Amino acid sequence: LSAGVRLPRLVGDHMVLQRGHPIPVWGWADPDERITITFAGKTVTTKAGVDTKWRLDLPTMAAGGPYTMTVQDKKTTIVIRDILVGDVWLGSGQSNMEWAMNKFLPSTKTDVETARFPAIRLIDVNDTIALVPQADIGTKGWRVCSPETVSDFSAVAFFFARNLHQHYNVPIGLITSDW
């Protein structure tokens, strides 16, 4: 059965893409299906292989945004909104990286109440055991840093991102995979 173009869960609304390097985008589609991506005024195309996988690299960009990306094949159009380009960091480890801001209340109360940083975004990889590499991740998606969302952010990752963002004034994307 044909299904139309699909993207990994890492690619979605509010994501942050790495500045200063070609930007990889990948996914799945019907074999030999033509995929077109439009992003930041540029359009690029590729074809899915017989294994249904496809990948292409968007041109290097400077920090900025927000942008919209359109990914389409002949059956499906996916629109991804509110994309920033900046610096992306992986937060990994064990319990020290997993502990959320709300675990440290009341010490972090003021930090939570003042966490209005729309250029800081976080995506958390679900805790899953896998004995072989996985094609995709489980996640609730990218979240924009605000007093309403930051309570669930990794405390270590949040303080790290806030410091970098305030010092360099570029968007910061955090990927936490801490289990």
Side-chain angles (χ1 to χ4, degrees), residues 16-20 61-64 84-89 119 170-173:
V16 178
L17 301 173
Q18 180 62 47
R19 67 179 170 148
M61 294 179 64
L84 298 179
V85 177
D87 290 336
V88 181
W89 295 88
V170 297
I172 302 293

Side-chain angles (χ1 to χ4, degrees), residues 42-68:
K42 298 191 175 27
T43 300
V44 292
T45 62
T46 190
K47 280 191 171 189
V50 294
D51 61 356
T52 74
K53 297 176 185 176
W54 59 268
R55 179 198 156 138
L56 53 77
D57 289 333
L58 299 171
T60 297
M61 294 179 64
Y67 298 103
T68 298

Side-chain angles (χ1 to χ4, degrees), residues 12 24 77 94 114 149 155 166:
T77 299
Q94 294 179 334
T114 60
T149 62
Q166 289 174 334

Side-chain angles (χ1 to χ4, degrees), residues 54-136:
W54 59 268
R55 179 198 156 138
L56 53 77
D57 289 333
L58 299 171
T60 297
M61 294 179 64
Y67 298 103
T68 298
M69 179 186 292
T70 303
V71 181
Q72 61 189 60
D73 66 6
K74 67 183 176 193
K75 295 182 280 296
T76 306
T77 299
I78 301 169
V79 179
I80 305 159
R81 293 174 176 81
D82 190 32
I83 301 168
L84 298 179
V85 177
D87 290 336
V88 181
W89 295 88
L90 174 64
S92 191
Q94 294 179 334
S95 58
N96 59 343
M97 188 58 69
E98 189 170 26
W99 286 340
M101 292 288 286
N102 60 19
K103 301 276 190 213
F104 297 101
L105 291 170
S107 300
T108 57
K109 185 177 189 289
T110 301
D111 297 302
V112 168
E113 291 171 349
T114 60
R116 288 177 182 80
F117 298 99
I120 297 175
R121 281 90 186 282
L122 174 125
I123 188 168
D124 183 53
V125 178
N126 292 350
D127 296 345
T128 306
I129 294 174
L131 300 176
V132 297
Q134 302 297 295
D136 205 355

